[in-house]
Amino acid sequence: MMYTNNCPKNNKRSKGKCVARYLGRFSFQPSKENPLFGPSSNTMDKWGALQWSKVVHGKQGWRFITCLWLHGGLIHLFANVLSFFFIGIRHEQQFGYVRVGVIYLLSGFGGSILSSLFMQQTTTVGASGALFGLIGAICSEFLTNWTIYTYKVTAVITFIAIIVLNLAVGVLPHIDNFANIGGFFTGFLLGFVLLFRPQSGWIKPQHRPAGAAVIPKHKPYQYVFCVIAVLLLIVGFGMGLFLVFKGENGNKHCSWCHHLTCAPTSKWPCGY
């Protein structure tokens, strides 16, 4: 993407000089334009960034997914990779890369849908929605497999702290909190479907001692949560896509929702 960006050739210098010009065509856009050490918005758009007008009027729905593999710059990329390192490894070890990968992709997709309903004047890239989906899946997995956890209070406090901290950071400018929120709830529901495990004490029939009490593999509430989550996911994705391609603007129906993604202060504008 930086090779395509070619700042020395394409930068009009209206916002300053290219950063790290010794890198040649791999140098970064001026810090006033992109403080994350990355390309221009036009370059990100060419590579598949999420842009409402392109999705709706240009019928480019594939941008819902391609934006997940793009980042605004080196800082953005490093932050997401570091977050996945701490959040994703544990679940991938326990549940496998297939289930975690499905949660990642569908959560990012859900985040892109909600972002398109509220962030219609901006270009969006990054895997934040997918990252929040993994956080949401951790929370629902904890609720579903409640009986196997020992330090329940500590786990609850940790989850709440992670969610509050990340959402608080999301009110800073240039960060799409709607993608975070949409990804979180998508992952939260997917966790009920893909991450529930046998309850504590369950033993496979071939390994069960003779005369041992038979313990059901899963609790009834696990199946109830799973069915409800599937229904909510179907309705959520269906309604979300319908409203996006219909051209609905969520801000018209929620006068305060724009504050969820940017809190205006005297130090920065929000631009909504």
Side-chain angles (χ1 to χ4, degrees), residues 107 114 129 132-133 136-137 179-191 233:
S107 297
L114 189 62
F132 264 78
N180 296 344
I181 296 171
F184 175 83
F185 282 108
T186 302
F188 183 75
L189 294 175
L190 286 170
L233 284 167

Side-chain angles (χ1 to χ4, degrees), residues 61 75 92 105 124 136 141 146 151 168 170 172 176 194 218 230 272:
I75 295 177
E92 192 167 282
L105 290 175
T124 302
E141 186 265 333
W146 176 268
Y151 302 102
L172 298 174
D176 186 0
L194 298 175
H218 298 106
V230 169
Y272 41 61

Side-chain angles (χ1 to χ4, degrees), residues 40-105:
S40 65
S41 295
N42 289 334
T43 299
M44 288 187 280
D45 180 52
K46 292 177 182 178
W47 276 70
L50 181 63
Q51 193 176 83
W52 176 80
S53 60
K54 296 288 181 66
V55 171
V56 176
H57 302 299
K59 306 301 180 183
Q60 299 176 9
W62 44 267
R63 290 179 179 269
F64 283 130
I65 298 296
T66 56
C67 67
L68 303 180
W69 277 275
L70 303 178
H71 290 81
L74 290 181
I75 295 177
H76 190 193
L77 176 63
F78 177 77
N80 274 342
V81 169
L82 188 63
S83 298
F84 282 125
F85 179 79
F86 285 107
I87 295 175
I89 288 181
R90 170 181 170 270
H91 269 63
E92 192 167 282
Q93 290 174 337
Q94 292 185 352
F95 299 102
Y97 67 89
V98 174
R99 283 190 280 181
V100 172
V102 170
I103 292 174
Y104 172 86
L105 290 175

Side-chain angles (χ1 to χ4, degrees), residues 76-249:
H76 190 193
L77 176 63
F78 177 77
N80 274 342
V81 169
L82 188 63
S83 298
F84 282 125
F85 179 79
F86 285 107
I87 295 175
I89 288 181
R90 170 181 170 270
H91 269 63
E92 192 167 282
Q93 290 174 337
Q94 292 185 352
F95 299 102
Y97 67 89
V98 174
R99 283 190 280 181
V100 172
V102 170
I103 292 174
Y104 172 86
L105 290 175
L106 290 181
S107 297
F109 182 55
S112 295
I113 292 175
L114 189 62
S115 178
S116 296
L117 285 172
F118 289 91
M119 303 285 287
Q120 300 184 350
Q121 306 300 321
T122 60
T123 298
T124 302
V125 294
S128 297
L131 172 61
F132 264 78
L134 293 181
I135 296 175
I138 291 174
C139 294
S140 58
E141 186 265 333
F142 173 74
L143 294 175
T144 305
N145 305 314
W146 176 268
T147 58
I148 69 173
Y149 281 90
T150 304
Y151 302 102
K152 296 180 174 60
V153 176
T154 302
V156 170
I157 294 175
T158 302
F159 292 149
I160 293 176
I162 292 175
I163 295 169
V164 171
L165 177 62
N166 281 276
L167 289 179
V169 173
V171 301
L172 298 174
H174 308 301
I175 298 178
D176 186 0
N177 227 1
F178 287 111
N180 296 344
I181 296 171
F184 175 83
F185 282 108
T186 302
F188 183 75
L189 294 175
L190 286 170
F192 289 122
V193 179
L194 298 175
L195 300 186
F196 67 88
R197 296 181 286 190
Q199 63 173 312
S200 179
W202 177 77
I203 303 175
K204 292 183 178 180
Q206 61 268 33
H207 299 148
R208 187 183 303 134
V214 178
I215 299 177
K217 184 175 183 179
H218 298 106
K219 293 282 189 178
Y221 72 81
Q222 291 178 303
Y223 294 109
V224 174
F225 283 164
C226 179
V227 173
I228 294 175
V230 169
L231 294 176
L232 289 176
L233 284 167
I234 294 174
V235 173
F237 279 129
M239 287 295 297
L241 289 172
F242 172 76
L243 293 174
V244 167
F245 285 102
K246 185 182 177 182
E248 287 290 333
N249 187 339

